[in-house]
Amino acid sequence: MTTGTTDPVPDGSPAEARTAPVPDPAGGRPVLPPHGRVRPLGLAQVSLSGGFWGGRQHANAAATPAHCEAWMERLGWLANFDRVADGTTSPDRPGWSFSDSEVYKLLEALAWETGRTGDPGAQAAIKRLTARIARAQDPDGYLNTCYGHGDQPPRYSDLEMGHELYNTGHLLQAAVARLRTAGEDDLVRVARRAADHVCRTFGEDGLRGICGHPEIEVGLAEFGRALGEERYVEQARLFLDRRGHGTLRDIPLGRAYFQDDIPIRQADAWRGHAVRALYLAAAAVDVAVDLGDAELLRAVERQWERSVARRTYITGGMGSRHQDEGFGEDWELPPDRAYCETCAGVASIMVSWRLHLATGDVRYTDLIERTLYNVIAASPSTDGTAFFYANPLHQRTPGKPAGPGEVSPRAEGGTRAAWFEVSCCPTNVARTLASLGGYLATTDDDGLQIHQYAPCAVRAELPDGRRVAVDVETGYPETGTIRVRVAAGTRSPWTLSLRVPAWADGATVTEDGGTRPVSPGMLAIRRSFRAGEVITLELPMRPRFTWPDPRIDAVRGCVAVERGPEVLCVEGLDLPAPGDLDALVVDPLSEPLPDAAGARVRGRLPARPDRPWAYAAAHPADAEGEWFDVPLRPYHGWARRGPTSMRVWLPVSASGTSS
């Protein structure tokens, strides 16, 4: 998950020797690539200062880590480490086998917070949690609270579902965040011993197994890069190469659930469990980059292209099947049964960010924007203490509110829950929002690229020592005006690049005394800049209809409305009667209009009489109904006013228009 640790792959050139990087404890400086298209920036180089994302980052820091730690303490997940250390483990250990990973993701979020703000509370929490974890580590480096102690099952006796290596992968990612924000400490040393244990146990001459849930691969690759330890990256490569050959035992859901049915280099699309598939793809990009493996990188690019084109929702959500939390086949995108797990949204961003750093292709940062606004932003409550796990695009009946002290037994429910029996999403949201600044901008040899728009300050140094500094001022996405103010002038020219989203036909830029139209893609402005001058990008924010590919059977005859990067939806609360939502049809010939809440469209509620049989010999025409303005709101805000029905895809009227 750690942003900015993926190095672009050279164009088929051999991997260059690397030396161990020196972390920047003061600011979480990224591990800079020795070569590549663009370079990531650290949390001290890009600082959010309010707006849509700054407010969410503040709420996350103020409440979410403490909320997560309190739940883990209450449910005994933290005490599991104490029991291992004290020799008091028992078969009735609380929590799923992967509950250790939630502690590690929490640690990663806390590490990013210390790098971002220096928060002493986050620092104290890291030390407190690390001490408990370190006591539970075995002398040979093995660290797990569900296997290998007392009456528990033996180590690595259930590679399919045991999640031992998965847990270790999240430990390594937490250690990378800590290494980059504070240098080497007890947490990093615990992670080193765990990584060494994995390499000894599963190395070239060790066990030939793999983990049923990919994650160890990306953890090893990130940790190896951060420490300059190539053997960790090589172990990640071994795990990647072993997958896809039927190494794991078959299960009713099939080996595709584990991505163990097809070698990663041969696959054309992502399949099986969505989070597993995406974590594996992120690791593959990391390994391809570090080892100069252009074939492996092209394989992930190919999978991204097909999966985005045919297996991804308009929100950027991924995963259309509840039975395996997985991808469906091409065009299998039902809105009411969309799973779109929040964790899959996080993992999608991980993959797209790595691919962008490797290639510089703006398609990847376009998808990151879509996923951020319509999956990540949708999950947490305003105060950061309740979350969506699944993100459907159609809620037929209002959900039942979960009490603040209840553990939700299911992932879907139509309301945000404080905690889940499988509570992977709250900690994933926490680490993503804490590290969000790392996704906003990059540099290359000649300048600065801004990818996501939020009020922020960017201070960076180019490879030749030139310093570039800009401040971004914007109310985006409420408005489409983005002002980039140059904070420090330069004598020599450099290139400022601004991403113009794919949806932004009609965008303009004003700079150096003139305004001109710009096309979607990367807008590059190269010259010397004066301190205080402003470049203004205007993105068109008028709401627009979006039509689905007719091969998506589930939404044929429907239309969606988008405004800027936000997908909009209708909530039953905004209709004359909440139960009317299923009857709503909209006029496709009447363009959506701006509205304070988001947009409005012309719609009506034709009578739908109940019949003894749901089918007829003739196409049913819409009965009469009065046209009225239907308000639409950003999808990320749905159910914030209370339980409600909701839909993104709106059936179009079969007869007549509002004109």
Side-chain angles (χ1 to χ4, degrees):
M1 163 63 215
T2 47
T3 63
T5 62
T6 301
D7 306 346
V9 70
D11 294 327
S13 60
E16 299 178 11
R18 299 194 315 274
T19 57
V22 178
D24 177 3
R29 186 176 179 84
V31 180
L32 293 177
H35 44 241
R37 295 287 185 268
V38 292
R39 301 180 180 90
L41 296 176
L43 302 187
Q45 296 168 291
V46 184
S47 55
L48 285 159
S49 54
F52 184 97
W53 288 113
R56 283 161 173 77
Q57 191 175 65
H58 175 76
N60 180 70
T64 305
H67 173 84
C68 293
E69 183 179 357
W71 270 102
M72 292 180 205
E73 192 73 84
R74 171 183 166 182
L75 297 176
W77 297 2
L78 289 172
N80 285 333
F81 292 94
D82 304 331
R83 296 185 188 98
V84 170
D86 298 337
T88 58
T89 58
S90 63
D92 60 347
R93 168 193 174 278
W96 290 83
S97 62
F98 42 80
S99 65
D100 293 359
S101 71
E102 307 314 328
V103 183
Y104 302 147
K105 281 188 284 182
L106 170 59
L107 275 167
E108 183 183 338
L110 291 165
W112 292 129
E113 285 300 335
T114 62
R116 189 176 70 86
T117 65
D119 178 27
Q123 177 76 358
I126 291 171
K127 292 185 176 180
R128 179 171 65 246
L129 293 171
T130 298
R132 296 173 77 172
I133 291 166
R135 290 183 63 236
Q137 189 168 34
D138 291 353
D140 67 351
Y142 179 81
L143 178 57
N144 193 275
T145 69
C146 191
Y147 291 87
H149 304 98
D151 294 332
Q152 295 176 337
R155 295 179 180 183
Y156 306 120
S157 56
D158 185 6
L159 286 172
E160 288 77 15
M161 305 303 290
H163 291 81
E164 288 161 277
L165 291 169
Y166 168 83
N167 291 340
T168 302
H170 278 300
L171 169 65
L172 302 184
Q173 286 191 300
V176 171
R178 188 60 172 164
L179 184 68
R180 286 177 49 197
T181 54
E184 187 150 354
D185 71 345
D186 287 345
L187 177 59
V188 177
R189 286 186 281 273
V190 166
R192 272 186 184 271
R193 292 192 291 271
D196 289 343
H197 162 79
V198 170
C199 290
R200 287 193 306 270
T201 306
F202 291 92
E204 196 71 64
D205 299 323
L207 298 177
R208 303 290 295 175
I210 57 174
C211 186
H213 196 312
E215 165 63 21
I216 185 62
E217 300 88 350
V218 71
L220 282 166
E222 286 189 1
F223 198 47
R225 182 179 299 141
L227 290 170
E229 289 281 3
E230 295 189 8
R231 61 198 175 94
Y232 295 156
V233 180
E234 177 60 24
Q235 182 62 50
R237 183 196 65 77
L238 276 176
F239 281 135
L240 287 170
D241 287 348
R242 288 172 183 169
R243 193 173 294 271
H245 300 283
T247 300
L248 299 168
R249 71 172 182 268
D250 205 358
I251 61 173
L253 293 172
R255 288 196 175 97
Y257 179 77
F258 306 123
Q259 295 72 50
D260 194 30
D261 57 330
I262 303 171
I264 193 167
R265 296 172 189 273
Q266 298 175 18
D268 291 324
W270 293 323
R271 69 247 175 262
H273 189 277
V275 179
R276 285 170 162 86
L278 291 163
Y279 280 176
L280 188 70
V285 179
D286 278 350
V287 170
V289 163
D290 270 29
L291 302 183
D293 191 336
E295 178 196 35
L296 182 57
L297 180 66
R298 283 195 296 270
V300 182
E301 290 182 277
R302 180 177 71 245
Q303 294 156 20
W304 186 96
E305 288 168 359
R306 179 168 168 181
S307 300
V308 169
R310 300 183 176 203
R311 301 184 178 193
T312 299
Y313 285 91
I314 189 174
T315 56
M318 294 184 180
S320 41
R321 293 180 176 175
H322 286 235
Q323 65 175 6
D324 58 353
E325 299 183 312
F327 287 96
E329 299 300 326
D330 290 353
W331 317 115
E332 183 186 341
L333 295 165
D336 52 347
R337 294 299 293 162
Y339 201 69
C340 293
E341 184 180 343
T342 297
C343 288
V346 170
S348 169
I349 290 171
M350 290 169 60
V351 178
S352 290
W353 182 244
R354 286 159 165 77
L355 287 171
H356 177 73
L357 293 177
T359 67
D361 194 324
V362 73
R363 296 178 302 167
Y364 301 122
T365 43
D366 274 345
L367 183 63
I368 287 173
E369 177 182 69
R370 181 174 295 276
T371 308
L372 281 171
Y373 280 101
N374 301 296
V375 178
I376 306 305
S379 178
S381 61
T382 304
D383 66 0
T385 63
F387 309 86
F388 276 143
Y389 188 115
N391 293 278
L393 280 69
H394 186 175
Q395 179 74 25
R396 293 183 179 276
T397 59
K400 180 181 178 181
E406 297 177 14
V407 176
S408 176
R410 62 187 62 86
E412 67 278 0
T415 59
R416 294 169 181 83
W419 204 250
F420 303 90
E421 285 188 359
V422 177
S423 217
C424 48
C425 295
T427 51
N428 243 341
V429 168
R431 65 178 183 147
T432 301
L433 291 178
S435 61
L436 187 62
Y439 292 110
L440 269 58
T442 57
T443 61
D444 60 13
D445 288 347
D446 192 52
L448 172 70
Q449 304 84 40
I450 300 178
H451 305 288
Q452 308 300 336
Y453 297 117
C456 66
V458 183
R459 304 291 184 266
E461 183 176 314
L462 304 184
D464 61 6
R466 287 177 294 169
R467 295 182 181 275
V468 294
V470 301
D471 297 318
V472 179
E473 304 163 359
T474 183
Y476 190 77
E478 185 175 339
T479 72
T481 302
I482 296 107
R483 296 184 179 88
V484 182
R485 187 180 304 276
V486 178
T490 57
R491 292 183 178 179
S492 60
W494 57 280
T495 302
L496 172 65
S497 297
L498 306 176
R499 182 181 62 88
V500 182
W503 52 261
D505 290 323
T508 64
V509 66
T510 301
E511 54 103 10
D512 206 21
T515 299
R516 67 182 191 278
V518 293
S519 300
M522 287 303 286
L523 165 65
I525 303 170
R526 190 177 195 281
R527 57 181 173 82
S528 299
F529 293 92
R530 304 180 306 276
E533 72 170 292
V534 176
I535 295 89
T536 302
L537 178 65
E538 289 283 356
L539 301 178
M541 302 299 286
R542 187 177 180 84
R544 61 194 185 275
F545 278 141
T546 299
W547 297 88
D549 188 295
R551 288 170 288 186
I552 307 175
D553 290 325
V555 292
R556 193 176 293 160
C558 295
V559 68
V561 180
E562 298 181 88
R563 179 183 179 276
E566 298 172 314
V567 173
L568 305 184
C569 68
V570 174
E571 291 186 278
L573 289 173
D574 290 320
L575 298 180
D580 290 341
L581 183 60
D582 283 343
L584 178 69
V585 296
V586 300
D587 178 5
L589 301 182
S590 178
E591 290 295 316
L593 298 174
D595 183 83
R600 63 182 186 274
V601 295
R602 297 293 288 168
R604 64 181 180 181
L605 298 165
R608 304 289 189 191
D610 288 335
R611 300 184 300 182
W613 183 239
Y615 311 95
H619 187 283
D622 285 346
E624 292 297 324
E626 294 294 324
W627 291 100
F628 67 102
D629 283 346
V630 180
L632 293 91
R633 299 171 181 271
Y635 171 80
H636 61 70
W638 87 274
R640 295 195 189 278
R641 296 175 295 160
T644 181
S645 55
M646 173 278 298
R647 68 186 306 158
V648 166
W649 289 105
L650 310 174
V652 299
S653 176
S655 61
T657 73
S658 61
S659 58

PDB file of all heavy atoms in Angstrom, residues 285-308:
ATOM      1  N   VAL A 285       3.913  -5.702 -10.643  1.00  0.00           N
ATOM      2  CA  VAL A 285       4.508  -4.467 -11.166  1.00  0.00           C
ATOM      3  C   VAL A 285       5.786  -4.139 -10.405  1.00  0.00           C
ATOM      4  O   VAL A 285       6.817  -3.787 -11.002  1.00  0.00           O
ATOM      5  CB  VAL A 285       3.513  -3.293 -11.095  1.00  0.00           C
ATOM      6  CG1 VAL A 285       4.164  -2.010 -11.611  1.00  0.00           C
ATOM      7  CG2 VAL A 285       2.258  -3.597 -11.895  1.00  0.00           C
ATOM      8  N   ASP A 286       5.755  -4.258  -9.087  1.00  0.00           N
ATOM      9  CA  ASP A 286       6.956  -3.983  -8.289  1.00  0.00           C
ATOM     10  C   ASP A 286       8.122  -4.865  -8.720  1.00  0.00           C
ATOM     11  O   ASP A 286       9.246  -4.390  -8.910  1.00  0.00           O
ATOM     12  CB  ASP A 286       6.668  -4.210  -6.804  1.00  0.00           C
ATOM     13  CG  ASP A 286       5.985  -3.024  -6.148  1.00  0.00           C
ATOM     14  OD1 ASP A 286       5.892  -1.962  -6.782  1.00  0.00           O
ATOM     15  OD2 ASP A 286       5.539  -3.170  -4.993  1.00  0.00           O
ATOM     16  N   VAL A 287       7.872  -6.156  -8.856  1.00  0.00           N
ATOM     17  CA  VAL A 287       8.937  -7.084  -9.228  1.00  0.00           C
ATOM     18  C   VAL A 287       9.415  -6.797 -10.646  1.00  0.00           C
ATOM     19  O   VAL A 287      10.618  -6.811 -10.930  1.00  0.00           O
ATOM     20  CB  VAL A 287       8.452  -8.537  -9.083  1.00  0.00           C
ATOM     21  CG1 VAL A 287       9.450  -9.510  -9.696  1.00  0.00           C
ATOM     22  CG2 VAL A 287       8.237  -8.877  -7.601  1.00  0.00           C
ATOM     23  N   ALA A 288       8.484  -6.531 -11.557  1.00  0.00           N
ATOM     24  CA  ALA A 288       8.867  -6.212 -12.935  1.00  0.00           C
ATOM     25  C   ALA A 288       9.762  -4.991 -12.979  1.00  0.00           C
ATOM     26  O   ALA A 288      10.771  -4.947 -13.708  1.00  0.00           O
ATOM     27  CB  ALA A 288       7.614  -5.987 -13.777  1.00  0.00           C
ATOM     28  N   VAL A 289       9.427  -3.992 -12.194  1.00  0.00           N
ATOM     29  CA  VAL A 289      10.211  -2.758 -12.150  1.00  0.00           C
ATOM     30  C   VAL A 289      11.607  -3.020 -11.585  1.00  0.00           C
ATOM     31  O   VAL A 289      12.617  -2.599 -12.154  1.00  0.00           O
ATOM     32  CB  VAL A 289       9.461  -1.709 -11.300  1.00  0.00           C
ATOM     33  CG1 VAL A 289      10.380  -0.581 -10.866  1.00  0.00           C
ATOM     34  CG2 VAL A 289       8.285  -1.152 -12.087  1.00  0.00           C
ATOM     35  N   ASP A 290      11.688  -3.721 -10.476  1.00  0.00           N
ATOM     36  CA  ASP A 290      12.982  -3.921  -9.827  1.00  0.00           C
ATOM     37  C   ASP A 290      13.903  -4.823 -10.636  1.00  0.00           C
ATOM     38  O   ASP A 290      15.116  -4.637 -10.637  1.00  0.00           O
ATOM     39  CB  ASP A 290      12.780  -4.527  -8.427  1.00  0.00           C
ATOM     40  CG  ASP A 290      12.636  -3.449  -7.376  1.00  0.00           C
ATOM     41  OD1 ASP A 290      12.146  -2.362  -7.724  1.00  0.00           O
ATOM     42  OD2 ASP A 290      13.014  -3.697  -6.219  1.00  0.00           O
ATOM     43  N   LEU A 291      13.331  -5.798 -11.326  1.00  0.00           N
ATOM     44  CA  LEU A 291      14.149  -6.766 -12.042  1.00  0.00           C
ATOM     45  C   LEU A 291      14.225  -6.485 -13.542  1.00  0.00           C
ATOM     46  O   LEU A 291      14.790  -7.276 -14.294  1.00  0.00           O
ATOM     47  CB  LEU A 291      13.619  -8.182 -11.796  1.00  0.00           C
ATOM     48  CG  LEU A 291      13.559  -8.627 -10.333  1.00  0.00           C
ATOM     49  CD1 LEU A 291      13.086 -10.066 -10.228  1.00  0.00           C
ATOM     50  CD2 LEU A 291      14.908  -8.456  -9.647  1.00  0.00           C
ATOM     51  N   GLY A 292      13.654  -5.371 -13.978  1.00  0.00           N
ATOM     52  CA  GLY A 292      13.710  -5.029 -15.385  1.00  0.00           C
ATOM     53  C   GLY A 292      12.983  -6.021 -16.264  1.00  0.00           C
ATOM     54  O   GLY A 292      13.389  -6.282 -17.401  1.00  0.00           O
ATOM     55  N   ASP A 293      11.883  -6.574 -15.759  1.00  0.00           N
ATOM     56  CA  ASP A 293      11.144  -7.628 -16.459  1.00  0.00           C
ATOM     57  C   ASP A 293      10.014  -6.991 -17.269  1.00  0.00           C
ATOM     58  O   ASP A 293       8.883  -6.863 -16.802  1.00  0.00           O
ATOM     59  CB  ASP A 293      10.605  -8.624 -15.435  1.00  0.00           C
ATOM     60  CG  ASP A 293      10.048  -9.890 -16.063  1.00  0.00           C
ATOM     61  OD1 ASP A 293       9.652  -9.835 -17.242  1.00  0.00           O
ATOM     62  OD2 ASP A 293      10.006 -10.921 -15.367  1.00  0.00           O
ATOM     63  N   ALA A 294      10.315  -6.593 -18.505  1.00  0.00           N
ATOM     64  CA  ALA A 294       9.335  -5.906 -19.339  1.00  0.00           C
ATOM     65  C   ALA A 294       8.164  -6.808 -19.692  1.00  0.00           C
ATOM     66  O   ALA A 294       7.024  -6.345 -19.826  1.00  0.00           O
ATOM     67  CB  ALA A 294      10.003  -5.386 -20.603  1.00  0.00           C
ATOM     68  N   GLU A 295       8.391  -8.117 -19.847  1.00  0.00           N
ATOM     69  CA  GLU A 295       7.314  -9.043 -20.176  1.00  0.00           C
ATOM     70  C   GLU A 295       6.283  -9.090 -19.056  1.00  0.00           C
ATOM     71  O   GLU A 295       5.066  -9.076 -19.304  1.00  0.00           O
ATOM     72  CB  GLU A 295       7.877 -10.444 -20.418  1.00  0.00           C
ATOM     73  CG  GLU A 295       6.799 -11.480 -20.711  1.00  0.00           C
ATOM     74  CD  GLU A 295       7.282 -12.917 -20.573  1.00  0.00           C
ATOM     75  OE1 GLU A 295       8.121 -13.192 -19.687  1.00  0.00           O
ATOM     76  OE2 GLU A 295       6.808 -13.763 -21.340  1.00  0.00           O
ATOM     77  N   LEU A 296       6.743  -9.143 -17.822  1.00  0.00           N
ATOM     78  CA  LEU A 296       5.833  -9.189 -16.684  1.00  0.00           C
ATOM     79  C   LEU A 296       5.044  -7.888 -16.581  1.00  0.00           C
ATOM     80  O   LEU A 296       3.838  -7.901 -16.315  1.00  0.00           O
ATOM     81  CB  LEU A 296       6.619  -9.451 -15.396  1.00  0.00           C
ATOM     82  CG  LEU A 296       5.820  -9.569 -14.100  1.00  0.00           C
ATOM     83  CD1 LEU A 296       4.764 -10.664 -14.205  1.00  0.00           C
ATOM     84  CD2 LEU A 296       6.752  -9.826 -12.922  1.00  0.00           C
ATOM     85  N   LEU A 297       5.691  -6.768 -16.815  1.00  0.00           N
ATOM     86  CA  LEU A 297       4.990  -5.494 -16.770  1.00  0.00           C
ATOM     87  C   LEU A 297       3.911  -5.438 -17.845  1.00  0.00           C
ATOM     88  O   LEU A 297       2.777  -5.013 -17.588  1.00  0.00           O
ATOM     89  CB  LEU A 297       5.966  -4.335 -16.951  1.00  0.00           C
ATOM     90  CG  LEU A 297       5.321  -2.943 -16.908  1.00  0.00           C
ATOM     91  CD1 LEU A 297       4.752  -2.641 -15.544  1.00  0.00           C
ATOM     92  CD2 LEU A 297       6.306  -1.869 -17.337  1.00  0.00           C
ATOM     93  N   ARG A 298       4.228  -5.878 -19.045  1.00  0.00           N
ATOM     94  CA  ARG A 298       3.233  -5.862 -20.124  1.00  0.00           C
ATOM     95  C   ARG A 298       2.044  -6.758 -19.790  1.00  0.00           C
ATOM     96  O   ARG A 298       0.905  -6.451 -20.154  1.00  0.00           O
ATOM     97  CB  ARG A 298       3.880  -6.297 -21.439  1.00  0.00           C
ATOM     98  CG  ARG A 298       4.741  -5.210 -22.089  1.00  0.00           C
ATOM     99  CD  ARG A 298       5.058  -5.553 -23.532  1.00  0.00           C
ATOM    100  NE  ARG A 298       5.863  -6.767 -23.648  1.00  0.00           N
ATOM    101  CZ  ARG A 298       7.185  -6.804 -23.650  1.00  0.00           C
ATOM    102  NH1 ARG A 298       7.872  -5.664 -23.528  1.00  0.00           N
ATOM    103  NH2 ARG A 298       7.838  -7.943 -23.780  1.00  0.00           N
ATOM    104  N   ALA A 299       2.298  -7.870 -19.084  1.00  0.00           N
ATOM    105  CA  ALA A 299       1.198  -8.753 -18.699  1.00  0.00           C
ATOM    106  C   ALA A 299       0.211  -8.029 -17.786  1.00  0.00           C
ATOM    107  O   ALA A 299      -1.011  -8.134 -17.960  1.00  0.00           O
ATOM    108  CB  ALA A 299       1.744 -10.006 -18.020  1.00  0.00           C
ATOM    109  N   VAL A 300       0.712  -7.270 -16.822  1.00  0.00           N
ATOM    110  CA  VAL A 300      -0.184  -6.550 -15.916  1.00  0.00           C
ATOM    111  C   VAL A 300      -0.901  -5.425 -16.659  1.00  0.00           C
ATOM    112  O   VAL A 300      -2.096  -5.177 -16.439  1.00  0.00           O
ATOM    113  CB  VAL A 300       0.583  -6.003 -14.701  1.00  0.00           C
ATOM    114  CG1 VAL A 300      -0.375  -5.289 -13.747  1.00  0.00           C
ATOM    115  CG2 VAL A 300       1.297  -7.132 -13.965  1.00  0.00           C
ATOM    116  N   GLU A 301      -0.201  -4.744 -17.552  1.00  0.00           N
ATOM    117  CA  GLU A 301      -0.865  -3.714 -18.362  1.00  0.00           C
ATOM    118  C   GLU A 301      -2.011  -4.315 -19.165  1.00  0.00           C
ATOM    119  O   GLU A 301      -3.105  -3.729 -19.256  1.00  0.00           O
ATOM    120  CB  GLU A 301       0.143  -3.063 -19.306  1.00  0.00           C
ATOM    121  CG  GLU A 301       1.178  -2.188 -18.627  1.00  0.00           C
ATOM    122  CD  GLU A 301       2.110  -1.546 -19.643  1.00  0.00           C
ATOM    123  OE1 GLU A 301       3.079  -2.210 -20.061  1.00  0.00           O
ATOM    124  OE2 GLU A 301       1.843  -0.394 -20.039  1.00  0.00           O
ATOM    125  N   ARG A 302      -1.786  -5.463 -19.761  1.00  0.00           N
ATOM    126  CA  ARG A 302      -2.814  -6.139 -20.553  1.00  0.00           C
ATOM    127  C   ARG A 302      -4.013  -6.508 -19.683  1.00  0.00           C
ATOM    128  O   ARG A 302      -5.168  -6.318 -20.075  1.00  0.00           O
ATOM    129  CB  ARG A 302      -2.206  -7.398 -21.172  1.00  0.00           C
ATOM    130  CG  ARG A 302      -3.154  -8.209 -22.031  1.00  0.00           C
ATOM    131  CD  ARG A 302      -2.427  -9.395 -22.662  1.00  0.00           C
ATOM    132  NE  ARG A 302      -2.072 -10.429 -21.697  1.00  0.00           N
ATOM    133  CZ  ARG A 302      -0.816 -10.773 -21.377  1.00  0.00           C
ATOM    134  NH1 ARG A 302       0.213 -10.166 -21.930  1.00  0.00           N
ATOM    135  NH2 ARG A 302      -0.597 -11.741 -20.489  1.00  0.00           N
ATOM    136  N   GLN A 303      -3.752  -7.013 -18.488  1.00  0.00           N
ATOM    137  CA  GLN A 303      -4.831  -7.384 -17.579  1.00  0.00           C
ATOM    138  C   GLN A 303      -5.606  -6.149 -17.121  1.00  0.00           C
ATOM    139  O   GLN A 303      -6.843  -6.183 -17.006  1.00  0.00           O
ATOM    140  CB  GLN A 303      -4.252  -8.140 -16.385  1.00  0.00           C
ATOM    141  CG  GLN A 303      -3.650  -9.490 -16.751  1.00  0.00           C
ATOM    142  CD  GLN A 303      -2.605  -9.970 -15.753  1.00  0.00           C
ATOM    143  OE1 GLN A 303      -2.571  -9.520 -14.610  1.00  0.00           O
ATOM    144  NE2 GLN A 303      -1.741 -10.870 -16.192  1.00  0.00           N
ATOM    145  N   TRP A 304      -4.893  -5.069 -16.857  1.00  0.00           N
ATOM    146  CA  TRP A 304      -5.546  -3.816 -16.458  1.00  0.00           C
ATOM    147  C   TRP A 304      -6.481  -3.348 -17.562  1.00  0.00           C
ATOM    148  O   TRP A 304      -7.645  -2.993 -17.309  1.00  0.00           O
ATOM    149  CB  TRP A 304      -4.482  -2.761 -16.161  1.00  0.00           C
ATOM    150  CG  TRP A 304      -4.998  -1.464 -15.600  1.00  0.00           C
ATOM    151  CD1 TRP A 304      -5.068  -1.101 -14.297  1.00  0.00           C
ATOM    152  CD2 TRP A 304      -5.503  -0.334 -16.348  1.00  0.00           C
ATOM    153  NE1 TRP A 304      -5.578   0.175 -14.166  1.00  0.00           N
ATOM    154  CE2 TRP A 304      -5.855   0.656 -15.416  1.00  0.00           C
ATOM    155  CE3 TRP A 304      -5.683  -0.077 -17.701  1.00  0.00           C
ATOM    156  CZ2 TRP A 304      -6.378   1.899 -15.802  1.00  0.00           C
ATOM    157  CZ3 TRP A 304      -6.224   1.152 -18.089  1.00  0.00           C
ATOM    158  CH2 TRP A 304      -6.561   2.118 -17.147  1.00  0.00           C
ATOM    159  N   GLU A 305      -5.998  -3.336 -18.784  1.00  0.00           N
ATOM    160  CA  GLU A 305      -6.787  -2.808 -19.895  1.00  0.00           C
ATOM    161  C   GLU A 305      -8.098  -3.569 -20.070  1.00  0.00           C
ATOM    162  O   GLU A 305      -9.169  -2.968 -20.189  1.00  0.00           O
ATOM    163  CB  GLU A 305      -5.960  -2.864 -21.182  1.00  0.00           C
ATOM    164  CG  GLU A 305      -4.840  -1.842 -21.217  1.00  0.00           C
ATOM    165  CD  GLU A 305      -3.869  -2.090 -22.347  1.00  0.00           C
ATOM    166  OE1 GLU A 305      -4.048  -3.073 -23.097  1.00  0.00           O
ATOM    167  OE2 GLU A 305      -2.903  -1.295 -22.480  1.00  0.00           O
ATOM    168  N   ARG A 306      -8.034  -4.885 -20.096  1.00  0.00           N
ATOM    169  CA  ARG A 306      -9.263  -5.649 -20.307  1.00  0.00           C
ATOM    170  C   ARG A 306     -10.177  -5.571 -19.091  1.00  0.00           C
ATOM    171  O   ARG A 306     -11.408  -5.455 -19.229  1.00  0.00           O
ATOM    172  CB  ARG A 306      -8.940  -7.101 -20.632  1.00  0.00           C
ATOM    173  CG  ARG A 306     -10.199  -7.939 -20.848  1.00  0.00           C
ATOM    174  CD  ARG A 306      -9.897  -9.274 -21.449  1.00  0.00           C
ATOM    175  NE  ARG A 306     -11.044 -10.160 -21.400  1.00  0.00           N
ATOM    176  CZ  ARG A 306     -11.042 -11.398 -21.850  1.00  0.00           C
ATOM    177  NH1 ARG A 306      -9.948 -11.901 -22.406  1.00  0.00           N
ATOM    178  NH2 ARG A 306     -12.118 -12.149 -21.758  1.00  0.00           N
ATOM    179  N   SER A 307      -9.600  -5.630 -17.913  1.00  0.00           N
ATOM    180  CA  SER A 307     -10.425  -5.616 -16.706  1.00  0.00           C
ATOM    181  C   SER A 307     -11.112  -4.269 -16.531  1.00  0.00           C
ATOM    182  O   SER A 307     -12.272  -4.207 -16.098  1.00  0.00           O
ATOM    183  CB  SER A 307      -9.571  -5.947 -15.481  1.00  0.00           C
ATOM    184  OG  SER A 307      -8.979  -7.226 -15.610  1.00  0.00           O
ATOM    185  N   VAL A 308     -10.425  -3.182 -16.851  1.00  0.00           N
ATOM    186  CA  VAL A 308     -11.037  -1.857 -16.748  1.00  0.00           C
ATOM    187  C   VAL A 308     -12.099  -1.686 -17.830  1.00  0.00           C
ATOM    188  O   VAL A 308     -13.175  -1.122 -17.585  1.00  0.00           O
ATOM    189  CB  VAL A 308      -9.965  -0.758 -16.827  1.00  0.00           C
ATOM    190  CG1 VAL A 308     -10.595   0.626 -16.982  1.00  0.00           C
ATOM    191  CG2 VAL A 308      -9.093  -0.793 -15.577  1.00  0.00           C
TER     192      VAL A 308
END
